[in-house]
Amino acid sequence: MGKQHEEFEGLALPLLDPLYNYARWLCGDADESRDLVQETFAKALKGFSSFQPGTNFRAWMFRILRNTFLTSRVGLERRNTEQEGEDGLDNTPAAHDSPEMLLIRRADTELVQRGLKELDLRFREVLILADLEEMKYQEIADTLGIPIGTVMSRLARARRQLRDSIVQALQGGNRKLVAKR
Amino acid sequence: MSCDWQEKIALFADDELDALARDQAANHLAGCPECTATVAEHLALKQAVRLGANRYSAPPELHASIYRQLHPSTAVSRWWKWGLSGALALLLAVLGLVLWSQRRTDPLLAQLVDQHVIALAAVNPYDVISEDRHTVKPWFQGKLPFTFNLPEVAGTPYKLLGGKLIYAGSTPGAQVVYQAGQHKISVFMLQDTGRSIASPRSSFTVKNWKEGSVRFYLVTDANEAEAGKLATMLQEANRS
């Protein structure tokens, strides 16, 4: 095994779980996520010589996985069904009254997961990268290949949508049930 | 939004401010309930995602296949291949030997040879002791699901010693023993199972043949000629 190969393994293997987690949140399917991670490793190993030492390896790996996903059949379908319109940011101020915050604190796992899955892919992924993978804005920007400002605006919008979905579910849950009948 | 700080609240909550800005923000928060509430909500939401979002772990088989992907040569190394094929060859050889030796000694024949040896050594080797075939043969009546005839041995080198009921291959059978000079010859009669048995190579002379529904086995340490002659006599006695 070459030195470069060894170096790649040392860097990449610890990222296996985070990459798989990201894949699951991108495409939702377990089998597809597995294929995605395998393909990512294959591509990354092949292209490791093009990786610039000193730059962020995690962002590099995540970027490969994301590009692989986006160019896959499922990724293309997912992208086409989502509406465009990055800039029309909803600038209504975040409500800060304590009852809503209490609701967020009460949100259970199922509610949060449902809220996340309802988000557009580009909003869901920034939340996953920022809050679950605890990436810095710059790292997210490197991973997604977008400016830091866009990372921030997407994050803000993602959080607002998630918050609204949780609050609505907890406040209006009963009303909705009645209305459905 | 009245407060200028609101825009930096997300940066503060995401720990994206440098040390100086962070201190300034903390100072501001101490005196601004509005911003404090926003930070609290922001942090609550971050925590909800962290706790609520499932963190998926790669399944073990993915770990394994990635490892194989990274070690294509070591996964099935040359040594392994050689070792494996060697072990396989050995296994085949052992299997062949076992099958061959099974062919050599049919379990039923082995059992009958043992029975013959037991009769040679036993204190009471016979259930019925008689030199008269008209005593020995009737003794088996009602004990066996078949019948047989014994040849007249008067005027031959053979002497009838007796008979014994045996069990071989889970069926009852007859053992009739003759003396030929210094040797004893056991003749076993069992119901034929339709299976022809190759006569094995062993220190005993073993013959087997079928007459009607009965398979005869002859086991002796006497020589081939003596055994063959008695076998012929038995065959003739049972054909008529």
Side-chain angles (χ1 to χ4, degrees), chain A residues 5 9 16-17 20-21 24-25 34 38 42 93 95 101 109 113 131-133 136-137 159 162-163, chain B residues 1 11 14-16 41-42 45-46 49-50 52 54-58 61-63 65 69-71:
Chain A
H5 195 122
E9 190 177 333
L16 180 49
D17 274 325
Y20 179 76
N21 179 53
R24 280 296 295 266
W25 280 105
R34 222 169 40 210
Q38 264 177 300
M101 203 184 74
T109 308
Q113 294 204 8
D131 291 345
L132 219 55
E133 295 303 337
K136 291 289 180 192
Y137 291 174
R159 285 181 174 142
L162 180 64
R163 174 184 148 279
Chain B
M1 189 58 38
L11 294 174
D14 283 333
D15 195 22
E16 290 282 344
E41 188 188 309
H42 203 103
L45 200 62
K46 270 177 87 77
V49 171
R50 204 172 300 142
N54 195 4
R55 178 174 269 287
Y56 298 99
S57 300
E61 67 265 25
L62 180 59
H63 277 276
S65 59
Q69 204 173 323
L70 292 174
H71 301 93

Side-chain angles (χ1 to χ4, degrees), chain B residues 102-103 105-114 169 195 197:
Chain B
Q102 269 188 351
R103 211 184 112 86
T105 324
D106 183 274
L108 182 63
L109 281 186
Q111 212 180 333
L112 296 178
V113 170
D114 288 348
R195 199 164 57 107
I197 294 158

Side-chain angles (χ1 to χ4, degrees), chain A residues 109-127:
Chain A
T109 308
E110 196 196 336
L111 208 58
V112 173
Q113 294 204 8
R114 200 182 340 139
L116 279 170
K117 279 172 188 160
E118 279 169 4
L119 292 179
D120 273 9
L121 178 64
R122 64 206 152 123
F123 296 130
R124 183 167 65 237
E125 68 177 348
V126 287
L127 266 188

Side-chain angles (χ1 to χ4, degrees), chain A residues 94-103 163 171, chain B residues 37-38 41:
Chain A
H96 48 265
D97 49 320
S98 57
E100 292 198 350
M101 203 184 74
L102 285 177
L103 285 176
R163 174 184 148 279
Q171 269 183 344
Chain B
T38 310
E41 188 188 309

Side-chain angles (χ1 to χ4, degrees), chain B:
Chain B
M1 189 58 38
S2 55
C3 190
D4 297 343
W5 277 95
Q6 281 287 330
E7 289 189 5
K8 286 191 177 170
I9 287 304
L11 294 174
F12 179 78
D14 283 333
D15 195 22
E16 290 282 344
L17 294 174
D18 58 34
L20 182 65
R22 197 167 53 233
D23 288 348
Q24 287 172 346
N27 280 335
H28 169 74
L29 285 170
C32 179
E34 198 186 7
C35 283
T36 308
T38 310
V39 167
E41 188 188 309
H42 203 103
L43 291 176
L45 200 62
K46 270 177 87 77
Q47 197 182 22
V49 171
R50 204 172 300 142
L51 298 178
N54 195 4
R55 178 174 269 287
Y56 298 99
S57 300
E61 67 265 25
L62 180 59
H63 277 276
S65 59
I66 292 290
Y67 190 84
R68 276 199 302 276
Q69 204 173 323
L70 292 174
H71 301 93
S73 51
T74 50
V76 183
S77 78
R78 212 166 299 152
W79 286 112
W80 238 101
K81 275 184 197 162
W82 281 112
L84 200 68
S85 54
L88 251 170
L90 193 68
L91 189 73
L92 280 174
V94 168
L95 202 71
L97 195 70
V98 166
L99 286 174
W100 185 66
S101 64
Q102 269 188 351
R103 211 184 112 86
R104 277 180 67 190
T105 324
D106 183 274
L108 182 63
L109 281 186
Q111 212 180 333
L112 296 178
V113 170
D114 288 348
Q115 182 66 42
H116 171 71
V117 175
I118 289 166
L120 295 183
V123 181
N124 301 308
Y126 315 115
D127 294 332
V128 49
I129 304 171
S130 174
E131 290 183 16
D132 184 0
R133 61 181 172 135
H134 297 297
T135 307
V136 173
K137 185 198 157 187
W139 182 85
F140 285 102
Q141 270 174 8
K143 297 185 177 72
L144 297 173
F146 55 87
T147 181
F148 57 87
N149 288 321
L150 294 176
E152 177 59 69
V153 289
T156 70
Y158 307 106
K159 187 177 122 187
L160 183 60
L161 297 177
K164 184 179 174 65
L165 189 68
I166 58 143
Y167 274 86
S170 330
T171 55
Q175 179 184 17
V176 175
V177 183
Y178 292 92
Q179 179 93 37
Q182 292 304 305
H183 307 288
K184 284 178 180 165
I185 301 173
S186 281
V187 178
F188 297 98
M189 285 147 279
L190 294 165
Q191 191 130 42
D192 185 51
T193 54
R195 199 164 57 107
S196 78
I197 294 158
S199 286
R201 281 178 268 160
S202 78
S203 51
F204 288 96
T205 304
V206 181
K207 295 181 172 299
N208 80 92
W209 67 91
K210 187 186 159 185
E211 293 291 345
S213 66
V214 185
R215 186 159 284 274
F216 288 70
Y217 299 87
L218 187 150
V219 181
T220 181
D221 55 338
N223 65 36
E224 194 68 48
E226 277 181 306
K229 206 168 153 194
L230 181 64
T232 309
M233 288 164 67
L234 281 156
Q235 283 163 8
E236 279 170 5
N238 284 282
R239 234 169 250 160
S240 52

